[in-house]
Amino acid sequence: MTQIGRSACDEPLFGVHLGPSAPSERTRTTVVVSGLHPMEWIGIETHLSLLERLIHADLGDRAIICIPLANPDGMLRVEDHLRAGRRR
């Protein structure tokens, strides 16, 4: 996992690159993003399960870029609200 940037509130954003490190003109790239809506945590769990399978798969000429949590600011805000007993 590599830090690929920072969120609006300066939280780190992480991504995983699978497949060929030196893409050719035959390489097809797929981007998988989850964690956009902070209350939908099951998407992140599903993404991590998929990532675990992809790590052991033969991807051939396909490159896959995974970003399991694209909205860490929202996730932290929801966790703070839940701890305080505030629910939507």
Side-chain angles (χ1 to χ4, degrees), residues 54-72:
L54 290 173
I55 287 170
H56 302 291
D58 177 15
L59 302 176
D61 285 334
R62 178 169 300 278
I64 299 178
I65 299 169
C66 293
I67 303 169
L69 180 56
N71 183 5

Side-chain angles (χ1 to χ4, degrees), residues 40-59:
E40 298 171 3
W41 57 268
I42 195 68
I44 297 168
E45 295 291 327
T46 303
H47 189 136
L48 294 174
S49 178
L50 172 65
L51 184 57
E52 187 175 0
R53 288 181 179 192
L54 290 173
I55 287 170
H56 302 291
D58 177 15
L59 302 176

Side-chain angles (χ1 to χ4, degrees), residues 2-74:
T2 304
Q3 185 172 336
I4 58 172
R6 300 207 68 86
S7 70
C9 292
D10 208 33
E11 293 296 326
L13 295 171
F14 295 99
V16 176
H17 179 271
L18 303 172
S21 56
S24 68
E25 60 186 52
R26 290 182 14 171
T27 303
R28 295 174 54 193
T29 301
T30 301
V31 178
V32 182
V33 179
S34 64
L36 293 171
H37 304 120
M39 288 296 287
E40 298 171 3
W41 57 268
I42 195 68
I44 297 168
E45 295 291 327
T46 303
H47 189 136
L48 294 174
S49 178
L50 172 65
L51 184 57
E52 187 175 0
R53 288 181 179 192
L54 290 173
I55 287 170
H56 302 291
D58 177 15
L59 302 176
D61 285 334
R62 178 169 300 278
I64 299 178
I65 299 169
C66 293
I67 303 169
L69 180 56
N71 183 5
D73 302 336

